[in-house]
C-alpha cells in the first residue's frame, strides 16, 4: 500500500508490538509526530520535560519489561540531549531504539539550523546506527534496528531520518514480526550472524573442559553479572550454584541473579562489596564469571584479582573476553544456554569446609548511630519490610545507589534498575517513570540524592501530568555525598565544591507539581510517610534528612586490590 515514510515509521512500531513511546517533538520530526496523531489510540506517547528524561524513561521501560524501548527526538540539540541516555543504555546493555530526524538532505553539511551529525556522534555508544538516505529502505532499516537492539548482547540503536525522507510516499507492505528474519536486509543480517554463533551442547568440548575444572576445584566461586539478568538465566544459575555448592557474588548489574537471602549469596562484590565477597574472590581456587566484563569497580587492581584462582569467563560478547582480566579458560555464548548445557552433565558436589571458611570472612555488623539520626540502611530496610521485598528499586548514582544495593534484599532479576556502567546522575526519575509504565502493578521506588535529583527534577512535571505513581525517596545530606566521601578519606577533608547549601526546598518543589511530599528526620517519621505514600497510590516525594558525613561502607580505593579495604 502507498503511504508516506512518516506513517511507515509508526506502522513499523506496531509491527514490533510497541505500545509506548517516550519523546519530545521539534521541527524536523514533526511529520512523524503528525503521523503519530492518527495512531494516538494505539500508541501511548509520553511527553517528557527534556529529551534526556525521555531517553532514561525508554531505558527504564526496556530494563523492566525486557522489551525494546523507543524514544523520539528532533535534530540538533534534541538529538544531542539523548547522548547521555544512549551511553547509559550502551554501557548496561539495554535495548532501546532511538529515532531522530535530521534536516533535509539538501541542507546536510551546510551548518543548517539545528543540524548535527548525530550518527557520527553516537557511533561509539550504539550497537549500530543508521542515516536513512534511500526512502524505500526505511521499513527494513526500522525492522533491522529492533532486531539488532534485542539480539545477542542487547544495546541501543539509533535511526536518523532526514526530514525530506519522511515526506516521500513509498510502497509499504505490512510484515508480521515473525517473518522479519526471512526478509530483505534482516535475511542477510541473519545469514552473517549465523556464521558467528558459537553453539554450546552438553557433549561439547567446552562443557567437558569446564566440568573437569569444576571437578578439580576445592574452593569454587561464581561471579554473576548483568549477563545473567539479560539472558534470563536465574533458574539455571541457581541450579548451577547449588550443584557445585559454591558461593555466588554479584556485580551491581547482577544483583537479583540469585535471591540475596539465599545461603550461597555473598551479595555485592567490588569497591563497595561485602567483605566476604571480596575476600572469597582472593581465596577461591576457581572463579567462574558469568556475564560480566570485570569492570574496574568490580575487579579493582586487575593483576591481583582472583590471584589464587583459575578464572573462567562466560560471555556472549567475544570482545569482553580477556579485555580487563586475563582468563584461564572462556566460553562464548548466551549464559542461559551455557549453564543449561553444563547443568545437564553436572554431578552434585559438596564444599562445606570452603563455605564455612567464606562465612568466617564476614566482618562485624556496622553499629547504629547513637544520636538517633536517620540512617540510610534503616531507610532501605523499612522500604524492604513495608513492600515485603517486592518493590522495584530504581536509583540515581552516588552514595544512595550503593546503600540501595547493599541494604535491600533483592529476590529476582530486574528488581534493581540503576546506571552501573556509565554512572549517570539524573538517570533515576526518568527510568522510574518508564519502569512504572512498563510494570504498572509493581510498587516502584525511586531512590535518589539531592545532587542527582536536581539534574532531572523537571521530570516531576511528567510524573504529575500523567499521574504515574512513583515514590521518590530523596536522601538529602546537603552534599555530593560520594565525592565528599572521597575528599574526606583521600583529599584531607578539602571539600571543594561539593557542599550543596542551597535550594530548592524539595517538598515545596514537589508540591508545586501537585504531588504529596513529606520531610522526615527519624525512622518513625519515614515509616509513617512511606505507608501513606503506598496506600495513596499516587505520586509522592519523601525527603529524608541524613547526616552530611554518612559514608558507604565497605570501601576499597580505586585501583587497589579489592581486599585492601579503606573502610570496613
Amino acid at each position: 500500500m502507498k503511504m508516506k515514510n512518516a506513517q511507515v515509521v509508526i506502522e513499523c512500531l506496531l509491527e514490533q508490538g510497541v505500545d509506548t513511546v517516550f519523546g519530545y517533538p521539534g521541527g524536523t520530526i514533526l511529520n512523524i509526530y503528525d503521523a503519530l496523531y492518527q495512531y494516538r489510540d494505539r500508541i501511548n506517547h509520553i511527553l517528557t520535560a527534556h529529551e534526556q528524561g525521555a531517553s532514561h524513561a525508554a531505558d527504564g521501560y526496556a530494563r523492566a519489561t525486557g522489551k525494546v524501548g523507543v524514544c523520539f527526538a528532533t535534530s540538533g540539540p534534541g538529538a544531542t540531549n539523548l547522548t547521555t541516555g544512549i551511553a547509559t543504555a550502551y554501557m548496561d546493555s539495554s535495548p532501546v531504539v532511538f529515532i531522530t530526524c535530521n534536516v533535509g538532505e539538501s541542507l546536510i553539511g551546510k551548518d543548517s539550523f539545528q543540524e548535527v551529525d548525530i550518527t557520527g556522534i553516537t557511533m561509539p555508544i550504539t550497537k549500530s546506527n543508521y542515516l536513512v538516505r534511500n526512502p524505500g529502505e526505511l521499513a527494513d532499516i526500522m525492522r533491522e534496528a529492533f532486531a539488532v537492539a534485542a539480539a545477542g548482547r542487547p544495546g541501543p540503536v539509533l535511526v536518523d531520518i532526514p526530514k525530506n525522507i519522511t515526506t516521500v510516499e513509498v510502497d509499504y507492505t505490512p510484515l508480521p514480526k515473525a517473518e522479519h528474519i526471512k526478509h530483505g536486509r534482516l535475511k542477510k543480517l541473519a545469514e552473517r550472524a549465523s556464521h558467528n554463533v558459537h553453539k554450546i551442547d552438553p557433549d561439547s568440548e567446552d562443557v567437558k573442559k569446564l566440568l573437569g575444572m569444576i571437578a578439580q576445584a576445592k574452593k569454587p566461586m561464581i561471579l554473576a553479572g548483568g549477563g545473567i539478568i539479560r539472558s534470563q538465566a536465574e533458574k539455571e544459575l541457581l541450579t548451577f550454584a547449588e550443584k557445585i555448592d559454591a558461593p555466588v557474588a554479584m556485580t551491581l548489574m547482577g544483583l537479583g541473579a540469585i535471591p540475596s537471602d539465599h545461603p550461597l549469596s555473598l551479595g555485592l562484590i567490588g569497591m563497595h562489596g561485602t567483605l566476604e565477597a571480596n575476600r572469597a574472590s582472593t581465596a577461591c581456587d576457581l572463579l567462574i564469571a558469568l556475564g560480566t566484563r570485570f569492570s574496574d569497580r568490580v575487579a579493582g587492581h586487575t593483576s591481583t584479582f582472583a590471584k589464587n584462582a583459575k578464572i573462567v569467563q562466560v560471555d556472549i560478547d567475544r570482545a569482553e573476553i580477556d579485555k580487563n582480566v586475563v582468563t584461564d579458560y572462556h566460553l562464548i555464548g548466551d549464559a542461559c544456554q551455557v549453564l543449561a548445557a553444563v547443568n545437564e552433565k553436572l554431578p552434585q558436589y559438596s564444599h562445606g569446609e570452603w563455605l564455612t571458611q567464606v562465612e568466617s570472612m564476614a566482618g562485624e555488623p556496622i553499629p547504629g548511630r547513637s544520636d538517633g539520626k536517620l540512617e540510610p540502611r534503616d531507610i532501605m530496610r523499612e522500604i524492604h519490610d513495608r513492600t515485603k521485598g517486592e518493590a522495584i528499586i530504581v536509583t540515581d548514582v552516588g552514595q544512595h545507589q550503593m546503600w540501595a544495593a547493599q541494604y535491600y534484599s533483592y529476590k529476582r532479576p530486574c528488581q534493581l534498575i540503576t546506571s552501573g556502567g556509565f554512572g549517570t546522575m539524573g538517570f533515576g526519575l526518568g527510568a522510574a517513570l518508564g519502569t512504572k509504565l512498563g510494570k504498572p502493578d509493581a510498587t516502584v521506588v525511586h531512590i535518589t540524592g539531592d545532587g542527582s535529583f536536581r539534574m532531572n527534577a523537571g521530570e516531576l512535571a511528567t510524573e504529575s501530568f500523567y499521574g504515574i505513581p512513583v515514590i521518590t525517596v530523596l536522601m538529602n545530606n546537603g552534599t555530593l555525598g560520594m565525592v565528599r566521601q572521597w575528599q574526606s578519606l583521600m583529599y584531607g577533608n578539602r571539600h571543594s565544591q561539593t557542599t550543596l547549601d542551597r535550594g530548592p526546598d524539595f517538598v515545596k518543589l514537589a508540591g508545586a507539581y501537585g504531588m504529596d511530599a513529606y520531610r522526615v528526620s527519624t525512622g518513625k517519621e519515614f515509616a509513617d510517610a512511606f505507608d501513606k505514600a503506598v496506600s495513596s497510590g499516587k505520586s509522592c516525594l519523601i525527603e529524608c534528612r541524613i547526616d552530611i558525613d554518612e559514608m558507604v561502607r565497605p570501601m576499597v580505593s580505586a585501583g587497589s586490590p579489592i581486599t585492601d579495604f579503606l573502610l570496613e
Side-chain angles (χ1 to χ4, degrees):
M1 65 184 80
K2 290 282 189 180
M3 66 176 65
K4 290 183 178 180
N5 263 327
Q7 187 178 351
V8 168
V9 170
I10 310 302
E11 287 287 348
C12 287
L13 296 183
L14 293 175
E15 285 182 2
Q16 298 291 332
V18 173
D19 56 17
T20 303
V21 172
F22 304 88
Y24 204 96
T28 61
I29 200 171
L30 277 182
N31 292 327
I32 289 178
Y33 270 91
D34 190 52
L36 180 65
Y37 185 81
Q38 307 303 321
Y39 293 78
R40 61 191 182 278
D41 59 338
R42 301 174 66 185
I43 294 181
N44 181 32
H45 180 278
I46 303 298
L47 175 63
T48 56
H50 190 280
E51 290 92 352
Q52 188 181 130
S55 69
H56 295 324
D59 187 354
Y61 181 91
R63 298 188 200 212
T65 64
K67 302 176 182 178
V68 177
V70 180
C71 184
F72 285 176
T74 195
S75 63
T80 57
N81 281 344
L82 297 178
T83 54
T84 295
I86 295 171
T88 301
Y90 182 75
M91 290 291 283
D92 289 344
S93 303
S94 183
V96 184
V97 171
F98 293 89
I99 298 170
T100 58
C101 285
N102 216 321
V103 298
E105 288 181 290
S106 64
L107 297 175
I108 288 177
K110 298 182 179 180
D111 293 333
S112 303
F113 179 69
Q114 292 192 334
E115 179 198 354
V116 74
D117 178 11
I118 194 61
T119 53
I121 290 170
T122 61
M123 188 175 292
I125 53 172
T126 52
K127 280 189 72 177
S128 185
N129 64 26
Y130 307 84
L131 175 60
V132 182
R133 305 301 289 261
N134 184 336
E137 290 186 347
L138 178 59
D140 278 350
I141 288 174
M142 287 288 294
R143 293 160 182 156
E144 184 175 318
F146 275 84
V148 170
R153 180 180 180 174
V157 174
L158 181 133
V159 179
D160 191 37
I161 313 169
K163 187 173 183 178
N164 65 292
I165 297 292
T166 66
T167 66
V168 176
E169 191 172 70
V170 296
D171 286 313
Y172 167 74
T173 303
L175 192 65
K177 187 177 178 181
E179 299 296 315
H180 288 182
I181 204 70
K182 305 174 185 177
H183 178 75
R185 295 171 59 107
L186 271 180
K187 183 177 181 181
K188 296 177 182 177
L189 186 70
E191 289 171 352
R192 290 199 303 270
S194 66
H195 296 299
N196 295 319
V197 174
H198 189 67
K199 299 185 184 300
I200 303 291
D201 66 72
D203 295 314
S204 71
E205 292 303 314
D206 286 325
V207 170
K208 291 177 182 177
K209 174 72 172 179
L210 179 55
L211 290 171
M213 296 177 77
I214 293 170
Q216 294 174 10
K218 303 298 183 185
K219 299 178 179 181
M221 177 177 171
I222 299 167
L223 175 57
I228 294 291
I229 310 294
R230 294 286 173 263
S231 65
Q232 299 179 346
E234 62 274 14
K235 292 180 180 178
E236 289 75 12
L237 172 63
L238 188 57
T239 298
F240 180 67
E242 290 178 343
K243 276 195 169 187
I244 70 171
D245 201 28
V248 182
M250 289 163 277
T251 69
L252 181 64
M253 301 309 299
L255 287 173
I258 70 166
S260 297
D261 59 0
H262 191 282
L264 293 175
S265 172
L266 300 181
L268 188 67
I269 194 172
M271 178 177 283
H272 297 292
T274 65
L275 271 63
E276 55 267 43
N278 287 13
R279 288 170 174 167
S281 70
T282 296
C284 69
D285 61 7
L286 176 65
L287 181 74
I288 303 170
L290 305 167
T292 177
R293 64 180 185 273
F294 298 111
S295 78
D296 57 306
R297 289 297 173 98
V298 168
H301 195 291
T302 56
S303 65
T304 64
F305 182 71
K307 62 182 180 181
N308 297 309
K310 291 183 178 179
I311 300 176
V312 176
Q313 185 177 7
V314 177
D315 206 283
I316 200 168
D317 187 351
R318 291 177 184 272
E320 295 299 341
I321 302 299
D322 294 335
K323 184 175 79 175
N324 295 322
V325 171
V326 177
T327 61
D328 295 278
Y329 195 65
H330 63 262
L331 290 85
I332 309 296
D334 176 89
C336 187
Q337 295 175 9
V338 171
L339 288 175
V342 173
N343 287 342
E344 191 173 324
K345 297 287 186 178
L346 192 63
Q348 181 64 54
Y349 289 93
S350 178
H351 295 109
E353 185 176 339
W354 164 231
L355 293 176
T356 300
Q357 180 185 346
V358 171
E359 188 176 351
S360 71
M361 296 174 181
E364 293 296 321
I366 301 171
R369 298 185 69 99
S370 59
D371 56 11
K373 288 185 178 180
L374 192 58
E375 290 191 72
R377 62 176 167 178
D378 293 336
I379 294 170
M380 293 311 306
R381 287 168 178 168
E382 286 285 356
I383 294 171
H384 180 273
D385 292 346
R386 291 173 187 282
T387 60
K388 297 181 172 58
E390 295 293 338
I392 298 177
I393 305 298
V394 185
T395 83
D396 275 291
V397 170
Q399 287 180 313
H400 63 273
Q401 178 190 33
M402 293 298 103
W403 290 322
Q406 292 172 331
Y407 297 124
Y408 194 95
S409 182
Y410 297 97
K411 296 181 177 181
R412 60 185 182 275
C414 303
Q415 232 186 322
L416 173 64
I417 293 176
T418 191
S419 172
F422 207 48
T424 305
M425 294 175 68
F427 169 79
L429 183 53
L433 300 181
T435 296
K436 183 63 178 178
L437 288 168
K439 293 288 186 180
D441 296 331
T443 298
V444 176
V445 183
H446 167 218
I447 307 295
T448 189
D450 47 320
S452 284
F453 189 63
R454 279 181 175 87
M455 293 194 172
N456 278 322
E459 295 308 332
L460 290 176
T462 311
E463 180 178 358
S464 176
F465 178 79
Y466 291 101
I468 307 171
V470 166
I471 302 171
T472 290
V473 175
L474 194 165
M475 299 189 190
N476 188 355
N477 53 6
T479 187
L480 295 175
M482 188 61 85
V483 186
R484 180 185 176 91
Q485 179 167 332
W486 282 45
Q487 289 174 331
S488 297
L489 295 172
M490 293 174 276
Y491 290 84
N493 288 303
R494 294 184 295 278
H495 300 128
S496 176
Q497 301 303 314
T498 48
T499 302
L500 301 177
D501 50 354
R502 62 206 71 186
D505 182 318
F506 293 108
V507 170
K508 288 182 179 179
L509 179 65
Y513 288 107
M515 295 170 53
D516 292 338
Y518 309 92
R519 181 177 292 114
V520 302
S521 56
T522 69
K524 185 179 186 310
E525 288 175 350
F526 176 77
D528 291 344
F530 191 80
D531 284 345
K532 290 177 184 176
V534 173
S535 62
S536 74
K538 298 190 297 183
S539 304
C540 181
L541 181 143
I542 305 173
E543 181 187 2
C544 305
R545 302 308 297 259
I546 64 173
D547 190 89
I548 194 170
D549 284 315
E550 281 283 359
M551 291 197 182
V552 178
R553 299 168 183 265
M555 179 180 177
V556 176
S557 297
S560 297
I562 63 171
T563 51
D564 290 357
F565 291 98
L566 187 61
L567 288 176
E568 288 195 9

